Amino acid sequence: QEVHVSDWLLVDQARVNRFAEATGDHQWIHTQPERAAAESPWRTTIAHGYLTLSLYPLLRGIVAEGKPLFPGVKTVINYGLNKLRFVNAVKVGARVRSRCTLLEAEEFKGGVQIVEQFTVEIDGESKPACVAEVIMRLYV
């Protein structure tokens, strides 16, 4: 069952550059707009695939201050991924949003573990940027 569709988020060069700084991945297809315009098959810089994946907490609303995603849950922990594919590149300047579908929910001592399919759509594109099965543990 689909449980969440986020608002659109602009992926700008400043966000890509900050991600490059944080990870040390300064590959030119991400950080050099002039070179990318001349040499890249996308003719512009693109977001890192892992940047796209890392938007999960923001797009899912897990980190929205004062707006608990799961009432009664004290802590939400990223437990990992089952599957991950980067299907399409996110060009800098594009807008993305997420669609989340609940795949599984299972109780464990102290909480509930859920598995969601996280799909990152690109505005105006038919193929998504990223599809992942995300596992979260919700502690009560």
Side-chain angles (χ1 to χ4, degrees):
Q1 176 180 351
E2 187 172 88
V3 293
H4 181 77
V5 178
S6 75
D7 293 333
W8 291 103
L9 174 74
L10 177 68
V11 178
D12 60 13
Q13 190 64 55
R15 182 180 298 272
V16 172
N17 291 346
R18 288 191 305 270
F19 190 83
E21 277 301 312
T23 61
D25 181 352
H26 296 278
Q27 188 178 173
W28 64 268
I29 61 171
H30 306 301
T31 61
Q32 296 179 27
E34 297 80 20
R35 183 174 177 189
E39 298 179 36
S40 162
W42 300 281
R43 295 295 178 223
T44 187
T45 47
I46 59 171
H48 305 73
Y50 285 112
L51 166 57
T52 305
L53 176 64
S54 76
L55 294 173
Y56 176 74
L58 175 63
L59 294 175
R60 183 61 173 95
I62 293 171
V63 294
E65 195 65 38
K67 208 171 143 185
L69 182 62
F70 304 103
V73 170
K74 293 178 183 161
T75 307
V76 178
I77 301 295
N78 172 11
Y79 197 64
L81 302 167
N82 284 334
K83 297 177 184 176
L84 169 63
R85 295 291 182 268
F86 298 114
V87 183
N88 195 359
V90 176
K91 297 174 186 173
V92 167
R95 296 185 324 151
V96 297
R97 73 174 174 192
S98 70
R99 287 191 178 274
C100 295
T101 302
L102 181 64
L103 301 177
E104 298 174 27
E106 180 180 320
E107 284 188 68
F108 69 91
K109 186 177 179 178
V112 176
Q113 178 172 295
I114 65 171
V115 179
E116 290 185 339
Q117 180 173 299
F118 169 61
T119 302
V120 179
E121 300 176 330
I122 307 168
D123 194 13
E125 299 269 343
S126 60
K127 287 179 13 182
C130 173
V131 180
E133 283 186 13
V134 178
I135 309 165
M136 290 186 299
R137 287 205 158 180
L138 315 177
Y139 291 89
V140 292

